[in-house]
Amino acid sequence: MDAERPDEPNGWSEETSHDFINYGRYIVPERDTQMQIICSLLSDLDSPGIILDLCCGEGLLEEILMDKFPTISIQGLDGSDEMLQKASQRLSRFGERFRGGKFELSSPAWRKPGHPFNAVVSSLAIHHLLGPQKQALFMDVKQMLKPNGIFIIADVIEPGPMGKELAAVTLDEIVRKRSFELDGNSSAFDFFKREGWNIFRYLDPEDIDKPSPLFDQLKWLEQAGFVEIDVHWILAGHAIFSARKAK
Ligand SMILES: C[S@@+](CC[C@H](N)C(=O)[O-])C[C@H]1O[C@@H](n2cnc3c(N)ncnc32)[C@H](O)[C@@H]1O
């Protein structure tokens, strides 16, 4: 799965990776809760299982999953060298259980891995794809799963007209609170505001973020042939949802 990635085709740069590594703990709503929910959704995984993480970032989820489930191994793909380097440092104690690789999420090149996965997970990444690209991904992920395999998505979604302002206000408040909780001051929140990072206020169609409505994504999962499609958590325009490949 050493798929080629043309240089930053979708605008995610190493500078963005760097900013996310520094600010993720302020700007991702209830990040620990999100990771715990993903863990609990994986608790009936066949053992020993192999999980594919699409856009694994610096390997935070991998660390929690491999500590909790000692027999699983994870293949983590990402397009950023800095993220993959951080992930391999963080996860070195797990040895062969973690394998990192560089890829371009939108490319078909990595989608025929040659062996099926028990689960495919992805956190905060699929929203970089356009709607039709998400649809194609969902169909390809289904092919990559074993029967009864689970696909778990934690991601930014596009709220409807009624929910947009609510998501924007709630996200501001979460980042403001987190800034005080972690540092006792508003500097991280000030940075978030200054950079225009509240996607629900400043979404630019030319931007790297292309969130889709949750309802559309649930329908696309159904159209791809998944069953047991469900939503587990939603807050400030972020959601965790999953779908299963039939037995
Ligand atoms: C917001 S971070 C999330 C990282 C991690 N999953 C987490 O939840 O902490 C988005 C990740 O997606 C990767 N990424 C964004 N667009 C990508 C693309 N088109 N192809 C491959 N990786 C991409 C970035 O390098 C980054 O690691």
Side-chain angles (χ1 to χ4, degrees):
M1 279 231 245
D2 206 8
E4 271 185 38
R5 175 180 158 89
D7 277 350
E8 299 168 358
N10 290 328
W12 182 283
S13 63
E14 290 301 338
E15 196 188 339
T16 325
S17 287
H18 198 69
D19 284 343
F20 188 77
I21 287 167
N22 289 334
Y23 287 95
R25 63 189 184 281
Y26 303 97
I27 65 175
V28 180
E30 296 187 352
R31 202 176 198 188
D32 292 339
T33 302
Q34 290 199 46
M35 292 195 283
Q36 289 308 330
I37 291 171
I38 296 172
C39 272
S40 63
L41 292 169
L42 289 168
S43 54
D44 66 349
L45 207 68
D46 288 341
S47 172
I50 171 152
I51 298 175
L52 172 65
D53 186 355
L54 304 176
C55 299
C56 62
E58 56 182 306
L60 297 176
L61 180 61
E62 281 56 35
E63 184 167 35
I64 290 182
L65 288 174
M66 288 194 290
D67 269 333
K68 192 168 166 83
F69 305 114
T71 59
I72 62 157
S73 55
I74 305 186
Q75 183 143 23
L77 300 178
D78 202 279
S80 154
D81 289 325
E82 179 168 358
M83 288 292 194
L84 286 167
Q85 198 188 343
K86 288 256 175 212
S88 71
Q89 278 163 7
R90 179 186 306 281
L91 304 170
S92 60
R93 70 188 165 97
F94 296 103
E96 294 289 295
R97 289 178 62 203
F98 175 74
R99 271 205 299 135
K102 195 163 177 181
F103 86 147
E104 164 50 49
L105 178 61
S106 60
S107 160
W110 54 273
R111 297 187 188 189
K112 296 223 183 312
H115 57 86
F117 295 95
N118 299 74
V120 175
V121 300
S122 184
S123 163
L124 292 170
I126 292 176
H127 70 276
H128 293 304
L129 299 178
L130 292 162
Q133 294 176 311
K134 292 186 185 89
Q135 285 178 272
L137 176 75
F138 292 178
M139 288 191 278
D140 291 339
V141 165
K142 198 186 134 221
Q143 297 308 319
M144 288 190 275
L145 282 168
K146 291 183 179 170
N148 206 37
I150 187 166
F151 181 24
I152 303 172
I153 300 172
D155 209 359
V156 177
I157 54 167
E158 183 187 356
M162 285 204 311
K164 197 170 169 197
E165 179 61 14
L166 178 63
V169 170
T170 313
L171 186 58
D172 269 350
E173 187 50 19
I174 286 168
V175 180
R176 195 190 64 77
K177 268 198 188 146
R178 194 76 179 133
S179 185
F180 278 97
E181 236 168 59
L182 291 176
D183 303 334
N185 62 51
S186 67
S187 16
F189 179 52
D190 296 340
F191 181 84
F192 173 79
K193 278 195 300 185
R194 205 168 48 242
E195 295 293 310
W197 274 3
N198 192 326
I199 180 174
F200 308 111
R201 276 193 211 297
Y202 308 111
L203 187 58
D204 171 352
E206 299 303 311
D207 202 356
I208 56 171
D209 299 311
K210 322 267 181 212
S212 299
L214 179 57
F215 190 49
D216 287 357
Q217 299 193 65
L218 301 177
K219 283 189 286 190
W220 297 337
L221 287 166
E222 187 176 44
Q223 284 159 12
F226 283 99
V227 296
E228 291 182 34
I229 298 156
D230 209 348
V231 179
H232 309 284
W233 173 93
I234 182 159
L235 180 66
H238 292 64
I240 300 179
F241 49 109
S242 71
R244 200 174 278 285
K245 180 167 173 168
K247 281 186 189 163

